[in-house]
Amino acid sequence: MSKDFETLILETDDSGISTLTINRPKQLNALNNQVFEDLDAALDKIEKNDSIRALIITGSGEKAFVAGADIKEFADFNSKQATELSKRGHRVFQRIEDLTIPVLAAINGYALGGGFELALSCHLRIASQNALVGLPEVSLGLIPGYGGTQRLTKIVGQPKALELIMSGRFAKAEEALQLGLVNTIAEGDLVEEAKKMLSGMIKQAPLALKNAILAVSEAGNDSGFESEANLFGDLFDTADFKEGTSAFIEKRKPNFSGK
Ligand code: CAA
């Protein structure tokens, strides 16, 4: 367990799956300034550590993943300060989306406002049975400010995104699954099931996972197909491509080196 952060716990298991836990349970893990500073520092560590093969982001306690940006902290902000707050959220969440290892949000309970936006910046999402996701910012006289208007719309389309944003209502795990907002709902222990989901992925070639994340992130861009061709082509120069194809021909399991 890492004691390097005031508001986060970063742990890595023997298989290389790291779990980053937002740890302000009394405030339902609301995202204050310190959480963002800690997230930046934790991401520095994760980016530098090649032995980390996948990342789970979750919240401390039974009740909440993250109940949003810390409302008490920004209650007195003016417009300029609020715009800066939003831009910092965008920058840090983009760092999460840009990680080239699989990143899975394990949503235990409430994922609201900035908390849902954090989950949406992850590549994959698994929900607990009691998960509730939503963007209730309109009830505070606001709109989502940590990327929710963009990322939610990309996943569910404009009508559903506006319905969720303008009602501010919470969706239960089952509805979130139907909408494609989460990949699956955990039957048992959330983090164990999250690890199970990732364990199949981290057996695959690391550079292939990286290029898959990069190529999919280009979907919808004019350059998407060209990027796919280049990212596909680049993999032919890797040792793992040689290993993967040799293993197939030799009818054995591949032993990938990540090179
Ligand atoms: N910010 C600051 N503190 C929060 C918080 C938040 N987003 N969410 C919960 N807390 C605090 C509460 O103030 C309370 O603290 P105290 O004990 O000191 O009073 C503690 O966490 C426990 O919360 P509740 O007593 O409210 O718990 P509950 O079970 O009655 O309700 C809840 C749970 C429905 C999630 C409720 O806490 C709630 O509605 N939270 C706010 C949700 C929200 O509006 N999120 C959006 C924030 S704005 C945003 O995120 C903007 C953006 O896009 C960048």
Side-chain angles (χ1 to χ4, degrees):
M1 187 185 295
S2 163
K3 300 223 183 285
D4 297 350
F5 312 105
E6 211 175 292
T7 64
L8 302 178
I9 301 165
L10 180 61
E11 299 161 285
T12 304
D13 71 12
D14 292 342
S15 71
I17 300 177
S18 284
T19 305
L20 184 62
T21 307
I22 317 283
N23 189 30
R24 298 184 73 213
K26 284 190 186 142
Q27 294 81 25
L28 304 188
N29 305 316
L31 304 171
N32 67 357
N33 187 44
Q34 189 62 47
V35 176
F36 274 101
E37 281 188 16
D38 289 349
L39 276 174
D40 252 337
L43 288 164
D44 286 343
K45 272 194 147 187
I46 293 162
E47 282 167 357
K48 281 187 201 135
N49 187 342
D50 285 343
S51 64
I52 297 179
R53 304 287 310 279
L55 176 66
I56 295 168
I57 299 183
T58 193
S60 191
E62 297 287 303
K63 206 167 158 182
F65 173 74
V66 170
D70 192 315
I71 299 167
K72 292 164 193 167
E73 205 177 61
F74 67 58
D76 295 329
F77 274 19
N78 63 30
S79 167
K80 189 165 176 283
Q81 287 172 305
T83 304
E84 287 310 312
L85 184 85
S86 171
K87 285 184 176 167
R88 182 189 56 183
H90 291 168
R91 182 184 60 72
V92 176
F93 288 4
Q94 194 59 49
R95 284 189 75 185
I96 294 170
E97 190 175 310
D98 288 345
L99 287 171
T100 52
I101 52 172
V103 183
L104 172 61
I107 303 176
N108 51 318
Y110 292 111
L112 303 176
F116 187 33
E117 293 170 294
L118 169 63
L120 291 173
S121 73
C122 299
H123 304 136
L124 307 154
R125 283 163 288 284
I126 181 169
S128 60
Q129 304 275 345
N130 69 338
L132 284 168
V133 305
L135 295 173
E137 284 89 344
V138 288
S139 71
L140 300 166
L142 295 175
I143 63 166
Y146 288 163
T149 62
Q150 307 304 298
R151 290 196 174 95
L152 180 67
T153 309
K154 228 172 161 179
I155 297 170
V156 298
Q158 182 257 23
K160 202 70 197 177
L162 273 179
E163 182 214 310
L164 289 168
I165 291 168
M166 295 200 296
S167 66
R169 73 179 176 84
F170 304 162
K172 290 183 181 168
E174 199 56 52
E175 184 185 2
L177 182 66
Q178 277 166 17
L179 289 173
L181 288 169
V182 300
N183 295 75
T184 186
I185 300 172
E187 300 284 333
D189 183 87
L190 181 68
V191 172
E192 281 313 310
E193 292 197 26
K195 286 193 177 185
K196 209 167 148 196
M197 207 170 148
L198 290 169
S199 64
M201 296 179 191
I202 64 172
K203 285 194 191 108
Q204 311 299 341
L207 291 171
L209 297 188
K210 173 182 174 177
N211 283 15
I213 292 166
L214 293 173
V216 169
S217 77
E218 293 268 359
N221 294 351
D222 288 345
S223 56
F225 283 95
E226 196 186 340
S227 294
E228 182 189 80
N230 291 329
L231 289 161
F232 175 77
D234 288 349
L235 291 170
F236 281 66
D237 290 335
T238 65
D240 279 349
F241 166 65
K242 306 279 181 279
E243 170 62 11
T245 45
S246 304
F248 174 78
I249 291 160
E250 292 159 20
K251 298 189 187 299
R252 60 174 173 82
K253 284 207 165 119
N255 182 16
F256 292 122
S257 63
K259 292 184 178 132

